[in-house]
Amino acid sequence: MADEKNITPAVAADPAYDMAKKSQLHAKADAKNRIEIIRGREILTCGARKKKGPGFCKSQAGAGTQHPGYGRCKYCGGSNTGPKTPEGKAAVAGNARKHGFYSGALSPAEQEAYEEELATESMGLQHEIYMLKAKIRVYLVKWRKKWESFYNRKLAERYIKYQCQNPECGRTIVKGDLESKPGYCLNSNCHDKRLEPIDSWIANRTTEEAERYADAETRVWYSEGEGARSFYHAGSLEDRTLDRALNTLGRLIEKHARLNPDSGDDLLGQINAELRAASKGRVSISWGGEAQARQNPVETPKNGDS
């Protein structure tokens, strides 16, 4: 007769399985607790992954701790209360920033954004999610500020009238103050370099002109080989760097949702709200597939092509 202790678990090995059934065994059961059939009855077990070899701890949930019936057993850290003092909590909060996967690339601004998230969240996998989200948020805000700076400068642009100082010419040239100063007189019979501003007035640029200027100034050019060049607009849906980061963030959130099915949609909604705010409504992510449908950048003609 087979040993009843080695009977296959009542449910799949996925740690997020059947939370409703686990809650019937104990209201405080968590994602790691597992249901096992031992001596012919279903019990809630510790569920911590073994340090040596495959499998999970089959001790009764909370065995030997002050919370019998749920959580980890005493051998798997169930008696560990975690930091209780403000100093201890601050030290633990700094661990991911100092030693996490992205810590080497966190700028002071990104560290500040990430620590704002830590102040209100108790996180496991969420450390990586919020660290990457902090980097994306700072990246979006940085490029949005640059875009708005160029946009506002174009709206406030002035026309400047230059006059050739050659007594035999005196030709005038009008340029926007965001354009480079003309280097010489455009009169084919003069070409004198003595050009001085003599008047200026507001250019009254339209919002469409300001948008085109801001878009042009926030282009990022890259080579596609064999002389071909393309560009994307930084901080927009076609941004290659942003696209990769959003795909990674989407996968992390989806994995978190599998482990915590009750909070996955809430986390996705919260992060999307912050991404939309940082990008003025242009960026969000969804479950599965590509995070964004990136547009094909414009390709410039190769040398010799018409």
Side-chain angles (χ1 to χ4, degrees), residues 144 147-148 150-155 205-219 233 282:
R144 189 66 198 180
W147 189 95
E148 290 176 348
F150 288 121
Y151 177 85
N152 291 327
R153 287 170 61 189
K154 192 66 175 178
L155 285 179
R205 297 295 191 187
T206 65
T207 56
E208 290 78 11
E209 289 176 313
E211 288 175 0
R212 287 196 298 270
Y213 177 75
D215 286 343
E217 292 298 316
T218 52
R219 289 177 180 176
H233 293 95
R282 294 187 177 186

Side-chain angles (χ1 to χ4, degrees), residues 193-209:
K193 293 184 178 181
R194 293 174 295 169
L195 297 175
E196 296 296 333
I198 59 172
D199 194 8
S200 69
W201 62 95
I202 297 176
N204 291 321
R205 297 295 191 187
T206 65
T207 56
E208 290 78 11
E209 289 176 313

Side-chain angles (χ1 to χ4, degrees), residues 4-5 36-43 45 58-59:
E4 291 181 340
K5 292 184 178 180
E36 302 281 352
I37 301 177
I38 298 180
R39 294 186 177 88
R41 67 187 184 91
E42 293 180 340
I43 69 167
T45 62
K58 294 185 179 181
S59 297

